[in-house]
Amino acid sequence: RSARCPGAPRGKRGRPVCAVDAMSSRSPPKHNFKLWNSSEVVDILGAALDIVCQRARLRPHDVYHWVRPVVPNELWEVLWEDLMCKGGELRSPGSPAPQERAS
């Protein structure tokens, strides 16, 4: 596999991180892939995690923590801060902020 991804960055297990690895054995289509900046990656990943939380009715804290081991620290810090700015819970635009639960 590494022959198909020369110079590719290595993941935690020393394997090359390459989009081609996810493809079947047929030759990959030729595309001009966009290089995403960190801010765009955080926005895309955050939106994807938010949709998973909403559709699966899972707690955002749990879902975000499940992906923590594979998200680089510099992205994680911004991603987590964005979640905390949302009040730690997802809500639709215009809806009131979550209320403290009475004991």
Side-chain angles (χ1 to χ4, degrees):
R1 290 187 161 210
S2 60
R4 293 188 342 202
C5 304
R10 301 271 171 187
K12 288 186 177 180
R13 296 184 181 153
R15 295 185 59 218
V17 177
C18 180
V20 176
D21 283 338
M23 315 236 358
S24 66
S25 60
R26 61 190 161 101
S27 57
K30 296 193 188 306
H31 295 287
N32 291 327
F33 290 105
K34 178 182 185 218
L35 296 177
W36 304 95
N37 67 43
S38 296
S39 176
E40 292 170 319
V41 171
V42 168
D43 289 344
I44 292 166
L45 180 57
L49 292 173
D50 292 349
I51 286 173
V52 169
C53 294
Q54 290 171 346
R55 291 197 176 199
R57 294 189 172 129
L58 297 169
R59 289 183 31 190
H61 279 90
D62 294 337
V63 174
Y64 276 60
H65 277 289
W66 293 335
V67 300
R68 172 66 187 104
V70 297
V71 177
N73 286 335
E74 60 273 10
L75 296 178
W76 171 254
E77 291 169 1
V78 178
L79 187 65
W80 187 252
E81 184 177 311
D82 285 352
L83 177 64
M84 293 299 100
C85 287
K86 295 179 204 172
E89 296 295 330
L90 302 174
R91 52 187 190 273
S92 43
S95 65
Q99 300 295 321
E100 290 290 324
R101 293 185 182 179
S103 301

